[in-house]
């Protein structure tokens, strides 16, 4: 079987890597082609171009790269048409992925699968109907998503989230991490200002000011900042002025497995986390690390989002657990004073949030079959039906 995959950012690379591992376990002769990051490449993908080129978000951020992205969309779709795989699997990054799928469907009958259902339960419900014109099958991460996709005419399977199958860092892992970065027994605030250049530029100054306020009452606390390889220099420059003698966890010279293990240990070692909105909330939940979520958009993108978002929370832990235990400082509320107050609130009473995180992991499939394998089985079962 020949599979063409397209992922556009680190979270998609993680999903793709787990799916590829599952497919290979079911069909050792499977052949992969497409675009992906280090985790997909570790499973045998030779990426046609660097995945980092696609890691942009928001109208203002995309505009300067519009023509380059449009060219990459055409190139990727043509590569699919030229190679005629048995299935095209696009992973998240819908602005890029679904445009590729549209071009492929316009000129072929190649089966299309999209991994990660669009959040139509949160905003722009009409996206499901548009997506159904170019996508045959959806792999959903959240248990309540399949009915939305099926109503639009697509096949859909809930396969769980790969984060539930990842190891939990041990006490030895945490001790080794603290020793490696000379952290001693100091309290740790994990700080995650995003994985894209634009969001880091927007969030890092606000996060730094929030930490300065929070650490006034906890001067011995250390700040730890994991990041992705292509953003290390950007993040390092931003944190120079931060309090807490920041440690940037640099994955560039590590094998991919070691880099993932280091990040996991950093998450588990932390007493508290301040993170950009996104799937990172699930990674923190997997390690039972209490968190505050904060995010702001460019002005124009924010005004568009304010008109379209339908929910009172965007954090997956809150949504899946059906609680609101993770504080959010979003858009106009993404201010240092409000973030610092939320950090104090969570630090003083983390138990309720930890209970919600455990519920989230259970509902996403922890303890069951690996989500990557479930996704692979769903792809093959629908193809043979």
């Amino acid at each position: 079987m020949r599979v063409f995959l397209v992922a556009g950012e680190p979270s998609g690379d993680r999903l793709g890597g787990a799916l590829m591992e599952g497919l290979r376990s079911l069909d050792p002769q499977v052949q992969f082609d497409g675009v992906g990051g280090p985790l997909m490449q570790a499973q045998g993908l030779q990426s046609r171009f660097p995945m980092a080129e696609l890691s942009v978000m928001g109208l203002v951020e995309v505009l300067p790269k519009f023509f380059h992205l449009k060219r990459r969309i055409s190139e990727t779709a043509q590569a699919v048409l030229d190679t005629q795989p048995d299935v095209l699997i696009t992973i998240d990054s819908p602005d890029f992925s679904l445009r590729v799928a549209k071009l492929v469907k316009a000129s072929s009958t190649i089966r299309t699968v999209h991994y990660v259902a669009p959040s139509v339960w949160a905003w722009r419900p009409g996206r499901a109907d548009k997506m159904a014109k170019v996508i045959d099958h959806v792999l959903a991460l959240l248990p309540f998503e399949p009915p939305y996709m099926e109503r639009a005419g697509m096949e859909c399977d809930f396969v769980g989230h790969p984060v539930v199958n990842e190891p939990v860092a041990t006490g030895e892992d945490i001790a080794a991490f603290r020793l490696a970065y000379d952290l001693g027994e100091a309290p740790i605030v994990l700080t995650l200002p995003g994985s894209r250049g634009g969001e880091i530029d927007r969030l890092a100054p606000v996060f730094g000011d929030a930490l300065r306020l929070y650490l006034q009452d906890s001067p011995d606390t250390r700040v730890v900042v994991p990041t992705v390889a292509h953003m290390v220099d950007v993040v390092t420059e931003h944190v120079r002025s931060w309090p807490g003698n920041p440690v940037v966890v640099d994955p560039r010279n590590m094998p991919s497995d070691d880099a993932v293990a280091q990040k996991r240990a950093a998450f588990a070692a932390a007493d508290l986390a301040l993170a950009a909105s996104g799937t990172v909330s699930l990674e923190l939940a997997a390690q039972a690390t209490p968190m505050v979520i904060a995010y702001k958009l460019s002005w124009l993108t924010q005004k568009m989002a304010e008109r379209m978002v339908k929910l009172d929370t965007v954090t997956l832990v809150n949504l899946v657990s059906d609680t609101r235990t993770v504080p959010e400082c979003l858009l106009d509320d993404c201010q240092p004073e409000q973030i610092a107050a939320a950090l104090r609130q969570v630090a003083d009473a983390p138990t309720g949030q930890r209970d919600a995180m455990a519920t989230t992991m259970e509902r996403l499939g922890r303890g069951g079959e690996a989500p990557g394998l479930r996704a692979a089985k769903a792809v093959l079962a629908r193809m043979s039906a």
Side-chain angles (χ1 to χ4, degrees):
M1 183 174 73
R2 290 173 299 134
V3 181
F4 198 107
L5 303 104
V6 179
E9 53 189 315
S11 58
D13 181 46
R14 186 141 118 278
L15 292 169
L19 171 60
M20 292 169 67
E21 183 178 12
L23 287 169
R24 192 178 295 284
S25 72
L26 298 171
D27 179 3
Q29 303 305 313
V30 66
Q31 298 176 28
F32 298 120
D33 194 357
V35 181
L39 298 179
M40 292 171 69
Q41 291 170 32
Q43 293 297 325
L45 179 75
Q46 290 188 334
S47 187
R48 287 180 171 261
F49 55 84
M51 186 189 73
E53 292 185 19
L54 308 183
S55 295
V56 292
M57 180 179 178
L59 179 62
V60 173
E61 292 77 14
V62 168
L63 282 176
K65 300 182 178 181
F66 174 77
F67 291 107
H68 178 71
L69 289 170
K70 188 174 181 180
R71 186 165 58 251
R72 286 301 197 195
I73 289 167
S74 297
E75 290 174 1
T76 305
Q78 191 58 54
V80 177
L81 294 171
D82 289 345
T83 57
Q84 289 291 303
D86 296 291
V87 60
L88 165 64
I89 303 177
T90 53
I91 306 170
D92 211 357
S93 302
D95 290 335
F96 186 89
S97 295
L98 298 183
R99 284 175 169 82
V100 171
K102 181 179 180 179
L103 292 175
V104 170
K105 276 297 190 186
S107 301
S108 76
T109 58
I110 294 170
R111 182 170 177 80
T112 53
V113 177
H114 190 65
Y115 197 172
V116 183
S119 304
V120 297
W121 36 268
W123 67 298
R124 286 173 58 196
R127 285 179 296 163
D129 294 327
K130 292 180 180 178
M131 184 171 159
K133 297 176 182 178
V134 300
I135 295 296
D136 300 308
H137 180 201
V138 179
L139 303 172
L141 304 186
L142 305 177
F144 53 78
E145 291 178 320
Y148 293 93
M149 302 297 104
E150 291 165 351
R151 273 200 297 271
M154 293 172 283
E155 299 167 343
C156 187
D157 293 293
F158 165 60
V159 298
H161 197 293
V163 73
V164 303
N165 200 50
E166 293 177 359
V168 174
T170 65
E172 290 181 356
D173 296 333
I174 293 170
F177 177 81
R178 283 182 170 274
L179 181 62
Y181 290 95
D182 194 25
L183 294 167
E185 297 300 318
I188 294 173
V189 176
L190 194 76
T191 309
L192 299 141
S195 60
R196 307 176 185 90
E199 64 186 359
I200 292 170
D201 289 341
R202 283 193 304 276
L203 294 176
V206 180
F207 281 17
D209 289 343
L211 290 169
R212 194 167 288 107
L213 292 172
Y214 176 73
L215 265 59
Q216 286 176 353
D217 299 325
S218 185
D220 296 333
T221 296
R222 297 293 305 275
V223 173
V224 173
V225 192
T227 189
V228 292
H230 65 283
M231 285 292 136
V232 170
D233 292 337
V234 172
V235 169
T236 300
E237 185 60 32
H238 274 294
V239 306
R240 289 187 195 282
S241 61
W242 285 11
N245 192 12
V247 170
V248 176
V249 181
D250 183 349
R252 288 177 296 187
N253 296 318
M254 303 180 197
S256 60
D257 288 348
D258 290 349
V260 171
Q262 278 272 290
K263 181 180 177 182
R264 187 164 53 237
F267 279 41
D271 300 276
L272 183 62
L274 169 59
S277 177
T279 55
V280 70
S281 70
L282 295 182
E283 296 179 67
L284 291 165
Q287 303 300 325
T289 305
M291 71 191 88
V292 171
I293 297 297
Y295 205 77
K296 64 190 297 188
L297 298 164
S298 63
W299 182 85
L300 181 57
T301 306
Q302 175 175 329
K303 293 305 175 186
M304 295 174 65
E306 287 172 348
R307 297 179 58 141
M308 292 184 287
V309 174
K310 303 186 298 180
L311 295 179
D312 67 327
T313 181
V314 299
T315 301
L316 290 172
V317 172
N318 287 342
L319 288 166
V320 176
S321 67
D322 196 23
T323 68
R324 298 296 182 265
T325 60
V326 178
E328 297 174 326
C329 300
L330 307 175
L331 305 179
D332 290 338
D333 292 332
C334 186
Q335 303 293 337
E337 296 80 7
Q338 289 170 260
I339 295 170
L343 288 169
R344 294 188 194 100
Q345 171 193 330
V346 174
D348 290 343
T351 303
Q353 194 178 123
R354 285 200 170 101
D355 291 342
M357 290 189 283
T359 298
T360 298
M361 292 297 103
E362 179 184 354
R363 291 180 179 175
L364 291 182
R366 176 173 276 176
E369 195 169 55
L373 180 58
R374 290 175 64 179
K377 286 183 176 179
V379 169
L380 295 178
R382 296 284 189 176
M383 289 179 67
S384 61

